[in-house]
Amino acid sequence: MSKAYGTTGEDEKEATVSDPDEILKNIGGCGRFQLRISILIHLIKTVVCFAFYNLLIFTKVNSWSCDDNIMFERNHSITFYGNVTTNITGFSGEKSCVNINGTQCQKYRFDESLNDIVNEFDLVCKKDFVPTLVASINIFGVLVGNFVGGQLADLIGRKIPFFASLLLLFTMHLVGYFSTSWQMFAVATFFVGMGGGFFLTTQYCLLAEFTLSKWRSWIVGFPSWPIQACLMSMVAWLLHDWRYMQLLTGLMAVPCLLAWFWIPESFRWYISHDKIDKAEAIINDIAKVNGKTTDGIHITTDKQTVESKDGDRRYTVLDLFKSRELTITTLLLMFVWGSMGVTSYGIGFGIQTLSGNIYFNTFLFSLFSIPSKGIAIFLQNRFGRRLASIICYGIVAGASLTIGVVQTLNLEHKDSVTNVLAIIANTAVSASWGPVQTMTLELYPTVIRNISFGSHSVIGRAGAILGPQLVYLNSYFEGLLFYICGAISLLCVFALFFLRETMDQHLEDKLSSQKSEKVIDKIVDDSNVKEDVLNANGNTISRY
C-alpha cells in the first residue's frame, strides 16, 4: 500500500482510493470482518447488561414485616408468632417499622423468594433510601466512565479503554460478591458502573468506524441488549440470589478478554492521528479476512496538506464547541441525551413499582424492546435518524403522560393500564437509543467522536441518576415519575427538529477538513475554476 494521499499521477487517478469510507467499500464493505467484530462486541455486551440489570432486580424492596412479631397469613387469616422459626407459608409482607408494642422494630423478616441487598442489609424503614442511592451511585460511576473513557479513547485509541472495562467489571463484581456491608457494595457498584461507562463509550465507536453508513444503524442498533436482559431475568429467577449473580457476572468477563486478539484498534483513529503504518496494517488484515485486496488504496503522510496539520494534536471536550455549528449541535444533543437518561432509567427502574413478579416484568419489558429495536432500524434507514428519534419520543410522551393521569385519578383497572402503557413507554425509549446514538456518532469527526460520545453519555448518565430517585419519590407522589418523563420527552421532540440529518453521509475524520472544504468550495465558486483546483498537477484534493 502506497503512502500517498490521493493520486500520484494522471494514469493512477481512477484507481486511487483515500477516503476511509471508500477504503472500507473496496476491502469488503460489510464483510466477514465486520460480521466477526460485531458478533464479538455484542456478545461481550452481555457482561455489561447483566451488571446493570443486577441492580434493577436486586434493589427491589419485596414483602417484609417486623420480625419482633412475625406476621404470617394462612388460609386468609392472620396469625402472630414470636421470634421462632416456622414452616408456615403465605408470607403477608406487612411493611411495618414498629412492633405491636409501638416501639421501633429491631429485626425484620423478608420474603425469601428473592434474596437481594435489601434483605441482606435490612434496607427498610430508616434505610429505605439506600437501594435507590446505590443505583444512583452505580449510574454516577457510569457517568465518570463515560467521561474518562471518552477522553482516553480519543487520546490513546479505542481498544485499551474497551478491554480495561472488562478488567474493572471482573474485579469489582468479585468485590461485590464478598461485600459485608451496603457501603462496601456501593463502592464496588460505583466501579462496576465506571467499567460499564468505559465499555459503552468505546463499543459504538469501534462498531461505527469499521462500518459503512448503509449498515451502521444495523450494527449499532442490533437488539442485543434487550435479548441479554431477557436472559438475565431468567438467570436471576433461577438463582434468585444477588451474590451468585455478582459472581456469575464477574466470571463472564474473563473469557471476553480473549477477544483482544480479534478486535483491532480503529484504523480511522490511526489515520486521524497520522499513524499511517499501523492503519495500513489493520486495513490489510481487514481485506484479508474479507477476501479482498488493497490495490489502489493510498493514505497520506504529507503534513503539508490542510487535513493533516492537526494530526498530532490532543483534543478535549472544548473542541465540541469549536464552531457555532458544533456548539448548537452539542447543546441540543446534550439535552436529548439528558432526556434519554431520565426517561430510560426512570421508566426502567419503575418496573420495581409495578404489580406482578419482578422477574416476569423485567423479561416482558425486555422482550417487547427486541422488535422495537428492529422497527427503529427500519425507521432510521427509511426516514432518517432524526425522524426515527422524534417518533420514539412522541410515543414515550403520550404513554407517560397518560399513565400519570391514570395514577393521579386512581381509575379503575389502574394497575393493568399502567403496566401496559409502561411497557409501551419503555419499548419506545429503548428504541430511541439506536437512532440517537447513531446520529451522535455521525455528527462528529473521528478526532473528537469518542470525546463527543463520551461527553453526551455523561449528560445521559447525569439524567439517569435522577431516574431511581424519581421512582423513590413516586412512591410518595403517585404519577410524578411519569409526568416528568412525559414532559421531558415532549421537549426532546422539539429539540430534535433542530439537529442535522446524517443518513447516508460519510463520516468526517478531522475538524480541519470541514473548514478546509468550505474554504475550497468558496474559492471554486468565486473563481469558477473548480476543475483546475481539484486537478492541479494531476493531484486530487480530497478529504478522509
Side-chain angles (χ1 to χ4, degrees):
M1 186 184 298
S2 171
K3 294 182 183 178
Y5 192 105
T7 60
T8 56
E10 198 70 38
D11 57 335
E12 297 179 55
K13 186 166 53 179
E14 295 298 324
T16 299
V17 177
S18 59
D19 181 274
D21 287 283
E22 294 300 323
I23 290 173
L24 281 174
K25 189 181 296 184
N26 278 266
I27 59 175
C30 190
R32 287 193 296 272
F33 172 84
Q34 282 75 15
L35 183 62
R36 183 180 74 184
I37 193 174
S38 298
I39 290 174
L40 284 172
I41 290 177
H42 280 288
L43 283 176
I44 293 172
K45 195 195 293 186
T46 306
V47 181
V48 183
C49 181
F50 271 45
F52 286 0
Y53 273 83
N54 265 334
L55 283 179
L56 192 153
I57 291 179
F58 293 107
T59 57
K60 175 179 170 56
V61 180
N62 289 307
S63 298
W64 58 274
S65 66
C66 180
D67 198 24
D68 295 345
N69 297 282
I70 306 172
M71 186 163 55
F72 288 88
E73 183 179 320
R74 188 179 188 186
N75 297 326
H76 304 288
S77 63
I78 296 177
T79 308
F80 289 87
Y81 292 84
N83 291 326
V84 296
T85 302
T86 177
N87 293 323
I88 294 177
T89 59
F91 182 57
S92 70
E94 180 68 26
K95 298 178 181 179
S96 175
C97 295
V98 295
N99 57 38
I100 57 175
N101 297 322
T103 58
Q104 181 66 41
C105 185
Q106 300 299 314
K107 189 176 181 182
Y108 307 93
R109 176 171 290 266
F110 295 87
D111 181 359
E112 296 181 357
S113 64
L114 174 65
N115 183 29
D116 56 16
I117 66 168
V118 178
N119 302 29
E120 186 82 15
F121 304 119
D122 290 347
L123 303 181
V124 294
C125 295
K126 292 183 177 180
K127 297 180 182 177
D128 66 347
F129 67 93
V130 172
T132 55
L133 175 64
V134 170
S136 292
I137 289 172
N138 172 260
I139 299 169
F140 183 69
V142 180
L143 182 154
V144 175
N146 288 150
F147 181 77
V148 176
Q151 289 286 327
L152 286 176
D154 278 335
L155 285 173
I156 64 175
R158 287 53 163 132
K159 186 173 180 178
I160 293 177
F162 180 86
F163 284 97
S165 71
L166 295 176
L167 289 174
L168 264 176
L169 289 169
F170 168 65
T171 55
M172 288 302 110
H173 273 99
L174 288 185
V175 173
Y177 174 75
F178 290 108
S179 293
T180 56
S181 67
W182 73 262
Q183 292 91 340
M184 181 178 175
F185 179 74
V187 171
T189 202
F190 168 82
F191 288 102
V192 166
M194 190 172 174
F198 271 44
F199 178 90
L200 294 175
T201 302
T202 52
Q203 64 137 347
Y204 291 112
C205 282
L206 273 173
L207 288 171
E209 290 174 356
F210 284 109
T211 314
L212 294 172
S213 176
K214 177 182 177 182
W215 298 103
R216 202 169 294 133
S217 60
W218 287 92
I219 290 178
V220 173
F222 182 78
S224 56
W225 188 273
I227 293 172
Q228 293 152 357
C230 285
L231 177 63
M232 195 278 173
S233 62
M234 290 189 290
V235 173
W237 173 69
L238 291 172
L239 297 180
H240 64 267
D241 191 293
W242 72 278
R243 288 192 187 272
Y244 292 148
M245 285 303 302
Q246 288 286 306
L247 182 61
L248 174 65
T249 305
L251 294 177
M252 284 169 56
V254 177
C256 295
L257 293 170
L258 296 175
W260 175 276
F261 300 103
W262 290 283
I263 298 177
E265 182 56 81
S266 167
F267 80 97
R268 281 182 180 272
W269 184 84
Y270 280 136
I271 291 176
S272 66
H273 289 77
D274 295 318
K275 299 184 179 183
I276 305 305
D277 291 339
K278 293 182 178 180
E280 287 178 345
I282 293 173
I283 290 170
N284 285 329
D285 288 342
I286 296 173
K288 184 177 179 181
V289 173
N290 286 342
K292 302 292 183 178
T293 67
T294 58
D295 295 341
I297 294 175
H298 298 267
I299 304 174
T300 184
T301 56
D302 183 5
K303 299 284 183 169
Q304 298 304 312
T305 59
V306 175
E307 291 83 358
S308 296
K309 287 181 180 178
D310 297 333
D312 295 325
R313 185 183 155 199
R314 296 297 182 234
Y315 295 86
T316 68
V317 69
L318 296 178
D319 288 293
L320 302 182
F321 304 91
K322 194 169 182 64
S323 67
R324 181 175 179 274
E325 181 184 356
L326 276 174
T327 300
I328 293 173
T329 297
T330 299
L331 292 176
L332 288 173
L333 278 175
M334 281 182 173
F335 180 79
V336 172
W337 276 82
S339 302
M340 197 159 57
V342 173
T343 53
S344 295
Y345 282 80
I347 295 172
F349 274 88
I351 295 174
Q352 298 177 346
T353 67
L354 301 180
S355 61
N357 182 279
I358 182 65
Y359 304 114
F360 181 71
N361 284 344
T362 304
F363 177 84
L364 201 60
F365 270 54
S366 303
L367 184 66
F368 277 91
S369 294
I370 296 173
S372 75
K373 293 280 189 179
I375 294 171
I377 291 172
F378 167 77
L379 292 174
Q380 287 184 68
N381 289 333
R382 181 68 179 82
F383 302 107
R385 288 48 160 143
R386 183 177 60 181
L387 184 56
S389 303
I390 290 170
I391 292 172
C392 290
Y393 271 101
I395 295 173
V396 175
S400 297
L401 292 174
T402 304
I403 293 173
V405 172
V406 168
Q407 292 191 347
T408 300
L409 299 179
N410 198 24
L411 299 178
E412 189 178 1
H413 307 301
K414 178 185 72 174
D415 289 342
S416 298
V417 173
T418 296
N419 283 8
V420 171
L421 290 176
I423 288 175
I424 293 173
N426 183 75
T427 300
V429 76
S430 175
S432 71
W433 282 87
V436 171
Q437 288 170 331
T438 304
M439 182 166 52
T440 302
L441 292 168
E442 294 174 339
L443 281 169
Y444 293 93
T446 300
V447 289
I448 59 169
R449 184 169 296 121
N450 241 124
I451 289 175
S452 65
F453 197 88
S455 299
H456 291 307
S457 296
V458 166
I459 302 301
R461 303 310 168 185
I465 290 173
L466 299 176
Q469 303 310 315
L470 291 177
V471 174
Y472 178 70
L473 292 175
N474 195 71
S475 63
Y476 293 97
F477 308 100
E478 198 169 17
L480 177 66
L481 165 66
F482 296 99
Y483 280 129
I484 293 176
C485 288
I488 289 176
S489 297
L490 278 179
L491 292 174
C492 193
V493 169
F494 180 75
L496 283 163
F497 274 108
F498 295 94
L499 285 169
R500 175 169 59 88
E501 180 54 66
T502 60
M503 183 175 65
D504 297 329
Q505 294 185 11
H506 285 190
L507 293 179
E508 297 288 347
D509 284 290
K510 292 191 177 182
L511 278 171
S512 55
S513 67
Q514 297 173 326
K515 183 178 179 181
S516 63
E517 281 186 342
K518 291 179 180 179
V519 172
I520 290 171
D521 287 342
K522 186 178 187 303
I523 293 172
V524 169
D525 291 338
D526 290 345
S527 62
N528 216 10
V529 288
K530 183 173 183 179
E531 194 66 29
D532 293 335
V533 172
L534 294 179
N535 296 303
N537 301 321
N539 292 327
T540 302
I541 297 175
S542 60
R543 64 174 174 81
Y544 39 69

